[in-house]
Amino acid sequence: MIHQLHSRADQLGSLALHLFSEIHRIFQMTTSMMSVGLRMSWLSKPAVTNIVFRQIYFTGVQGLPWVILVALGVGVLAVYNIVDFAKSIQDMSLIGRLISSLLVNEVAPLIVTILLLSRSGVAMVTELGTMHVRGEDLTLRSMGISVQEYLLWPRLMAFTLCGLILTFVFVFVSIWLGGLLVSLSYEINFIDFLIEVRRGTSFNEILMLILKGSLYPMLSAIMLLNRGCRVGREPNLIPVHATQGVLGALMLILMSDAIIAIIQGLS
Amino acid sequence: MNSILFWHELHLGHTLIPSSQVKHGEFVRLVMNYPCQYAFMQHMFSPCDESSANSWCMWLQTGADRHMSGSREFSMSVGSMIRHRGLIANLSLRENLLLPFLYHEDQQRLEQATDELTNVAGILGITTALDEKAGERTTFTHALISLGRCLLIKPAIIVAQEVHIGMPPEHLEQFKDISMHALQRLGSGLLYLTASPDEGSGLNYARTLTVASNKQSMQSGKGE
């Protein structure tokens, strides 16, 4: 019995130590990335700006049609159900409030981050992992190139920036196109619908959209970059780290969403 | 101006790499196993903290200037040729050759390197392939690109591993010819990392340092 307890305590202790060392590692990686990124010296380095443009193109531009397509589907479903519900209880003022608190504040940042994770997230871990397997990190260091500045910062910045922009695109497409399509087949005027949406949206909700729209992609990118850098020299570990990275990022954004909701509830 | 590459004694587990130096134009051979070679290079390319007493350091002395490892000046004065580590796969061969210049914010050297690129590509025999994406390439191409980068940087010292290992005979001969010509043209010093004293590179070494794994190292006066 005592032996079993000791063994459980050992397991718990090693798990806690592992967790703390992982958090410490992620924290160190994030601070080193931020320090080279916010110094802004990368702006004058064509090698780095080239990677930034490529990442923005891959994450933002190539991901745009998917975001528009999903936003259209989600927008039509959300607007149709919300308008239907508001009409059934004969309170049209609910349209704006529900669209603002559900679609704008909760669904848009989450869906955009999930889309980014499934499209660019896996690619990010795989690309970084392959570079480590090939020993390209040593090649870069041999030329005096900072791995943080050349490999990690452009990906973090592109993921965060594109995440924020795509979140706004998602919101506009889902409200405008969703509202337009529903107004064609339903008993609601499109202008009245937009007026209700405007009435139900406050400045704080826009700020919350900016916070969530940038925080979730940033946290996801940090988790993915950490996983990509941990592949080492084992090519068969790339899919393992890609899966763990995406799942870890999903858990992280759901936890962050819950924490933000609790803080909002308390204030 | 003559430059000298210095490094401190380095302890790698039970292995001791002695402190030594390589002068401009001098060829020095360092014989040790592959794990030690990679560990040595990992240390060599990491930033050196001069303020810490325990920190291992490698530096390039050029007149009164001392360029510590990891610094921009060090990277642009010490070339490297690592076995099968010459390329970044998602860049073109042109970008691979110009990468240090595109990163290190030196417009004048970037323009100079861009001008010399056609000539260097001609020496290497890759003129028509310059805009191809690197992707997966042979050991020969990795070695050629590393050498091409050295030709563009014109380093005071080159640190080279046995980049020719694994090349088919026809490529091996071709690479030997190109690299001998390049070394003569550059006149740089060479620190050659090899696992065996019978590596057959055909170079004439001034010194050979042999690293044993029991904390004893030997030094011989003449290389070959």
Side-chain angles (χ1 to χ4, degrees):
Chain A
M1 178 71 179
I2 296 287
H3 178 73
Q4 222 173 11
L5 271 174
H6 281 171
S7 152
R8 289 271 159 80
D10 262 358
Q11 280 176 352
L12 200 67
S14 3
L15 191 74
L17 283 174
H18 176 75
L19 193 71
F20 280 121
S21 73
E22 187 73 11
I23 291 169
H24 179 67
R25 222 183 94 90
I26 292 174
F27 180 74
Q28 272 191 324
M29 191 190 75
T30 312
T31 48
S32 61
M33 250 188 311
M34 289 294 192
S35 69
V36 290
L38 298 177
R39 227 182 284 147
M40 295 290 178
S41 59
W42 59 272
L43 281 169
S44 56
K45 296 177 178 174
V48 185
T49 48
N50 190 14
I51 299 288
V52 169
F53 291 140
R54 282 185 198 190
Q55 289 299 318
I56 288 176
Y57 177 75
F58 176 68
T59 313
V61 179
Q62 289 192 332
L64 190 64
W66 295 102
V67 170
I68 292 174
L69 206 67
V70 174
L72 186 64
V74 171
V76 170
L77 280 174
V79 172
Y80 177 83
N81 283 302
I82 287 168
V83 170
D84 191 43
F85 177 71
K87 278 180 77 93
S88 69
I89 59 166
Q90 295 180 333
D91 183 2
M92 297 306 268
S93 68
L94 267 180
I95 293 175
R97 275 186 281 153
L98 282 177
I99 281 188
S100 174
S101 57
L102 281 177
L103 195 63
V104 175
N105 261 340
E106 294 298 333
V107 176
L110 274 177
I111 287 189
V112 168
T113 310
I114 290 168
L115 275 174
L116 285 181
L117 274 175
S118 54
R119 203 187 153 272
S120 312
V122 178
M124 194 191 283
V125 182
T126 312
E127 193 184 14
L128 276 181
T130 313
M131 289 185 91
H132 275 87
V133 169
R134 284 196 178 118
E136 290 179 8
D137 51 332
L138 184 65
T139 313
L140 289 173
R141 294 231 308 274
S142 74
M143 291 182 254
I145 296 174
S146 155
V147 171
Q148 278 81 17
E149 192 175 20
Y150 182 79
L151 287 185
L152 306 185
W153 168 253
R155 285 163 176 81
L156 175 72
M157 205 199 66
F159 216 77
T160 309
L161 188 70
C162 294
L164 181 63
I165 294 169
L166 290 177
T167 305
F168 272 91
V169 169
F170 186 97
V171 167
F172 279 107
V173 169
S174 58
I175 291 175
W176 276 74
L177 289 185
L180 199 64
L181 286 177
V182 170
S183 67
L184 291 175
S185 59
Y186 212 80
E187 291 171 16
I188 184 170
N189 184 287
F190 182 58
I191 303 297
D192 291 342
F193 167 76
L194 287 182
I195 289 168
E196 286 301 334
V197 172
R198 170 67 194 86
R199 202 177 288 158
T201 310
S202 67
F203 183 66
N204 281 349
E205 279 161 338
I206 302 288
L207 283 181
M208 191 52 71
L209 180 70
I210 294 172
L211 173 76
K212 286 183 175 180
S214 50
L215 182 72
Y216 294 172
M218 188 168 79
L219 289 175
S220 308
I222 289 169
M223 179 61 89
L224 296 166
L225 292 173
N226 175 51
R227 280 287 154 189
C229 291
R230 288 193 60 180
V231 171
R233 304 280 179 249
E234 293 278 344
N236 54 346
L237 285 183
I238 295 173
V240 176
H241 282 282
T243 314
Q244 285 180 351
V246 171
L247 286 176
L250 264 177
M251 289 299 124
L252 197 62
I253 57 167
L254 288 176
M255 271 164 47
S256 312
D257 202 42
I259 291 169
I260 290 172
I262 291 169
I263 293 170
Q264 271 185 312
L266 289 174
S267 60
Chain B
M1 190 174 285
N2 281 350
S3 302
I4 308 175
L5 180 73
F6 291 93
W7 66 90
H8 286 150
E9 191 175 82
L10 175 64
H11 294 263
L12 297 168
H14 291 296
T15 307
L16 172 76
I17 298 172
S19 61
S20 193
Q21 63 190 63
V22 182
K23 292 178 190 150
H24 189 264
E26 180 185 51
F27 292 180
V28 174
R29 183 166 54 177
L30 191 52
V31 184
M32 56 186 169
N33 60 30
Y34 285 118
C36 287
Q37 288 178 24
Y38 283 108
F40 181 72
M41 285 189 291
Q42 292 278 5
H43 278 80
M44 179 186 156
F45 300 132
S46 302
C48 161
D49 182 12
E50 266 188 293
S51 57
S52 165
N54 298 325
S55 168
W56 183 82
C57 276
M58 181 181 255
W59 69 96
L60 186 75
Q61 191 81 42
T62 308
D65 296 330
R66 182 185 261 211
H67 305 309
M68 306 308 292
S69 64
S71 68
R72 181 182 151 213
E73 290 77 14
F74 183 91
S75 313
M76 294 303 274
S77 311
V78 177
S80 62
M81 294 173 70
I82 312 170
R83 194 160 80 91
H84 215 81
R85 302 275 192 275
L87 288 164
I88 303 296
N90 59 5
L91 299 179
S92 67
L93 295 186
R94 184 190 299 276
E95 287 169 323
N96 265 291
L97 285 167
L98 293 175
L99 189 57
F101 304 97
L102 289 168
Y103 180 80
H104 286 296
E105 304 169 76
D106 189 337
Q107 193 57 35
Q108 196 187 342
R109 286 197 73 178
L110 174 61
E111 282 168 14
Q112 193 186 342
T114 312
D115 291 343
E116 289 172 10
L117 187 68
T118 319
N119 180 27
V120 169
I123 294 171
L124 303 176
I126 55 165
T127 312
T128 52
L130 272 179
D131 292 312
E132 286 175 16
K133 203 170 183 182
E136 239 3 283
R137 295 277 173 163
T138 59
T139 310
F140 178 60
T141 317
H142 276 268
L144 281 183
I145 297 297
S146 303
L147 187 65
R149 221 179 274 130
C150 287
L151 280 167
L152 291 172
I153 292 176
K154 299 184 189 71
I157 310 286
I158 297 172
V159 179
Q161 229 187 351
E162 296 165 294
V163 287
H164 63 278
I165 287 185
M167 283 184 200
E170 66 276 15
H171 280 164
L172 186 61
E173 285 310 310
Q174 196 184 343
F175 182 72
K176 269 189 178 175
D177 291 344
I178 297 171
S179 54
M180 289 295 181
H181 171 71
L183 279 173
Q184 274 176 358
R185 179 174 149 160
L186 290 169
S188 316
L190 178 75
L191 175 62
Y192 195 76
L193 308 180
T194 173
S196 160
D198 309 315
E199 30 78 21
S201 64
L203 294 166
N204 193 16
Y205 297 102
R207 274 176 298 128
T208 295
L209 300 165
T210 307
V211 177
S213 57
N214 57 356
K215 286 214 171 192
Q216 288 178 341
S217 298
M218 296 177 291
Q219 181 167 344
S220 71
K222 190 74 182 156
E224 287 290 303

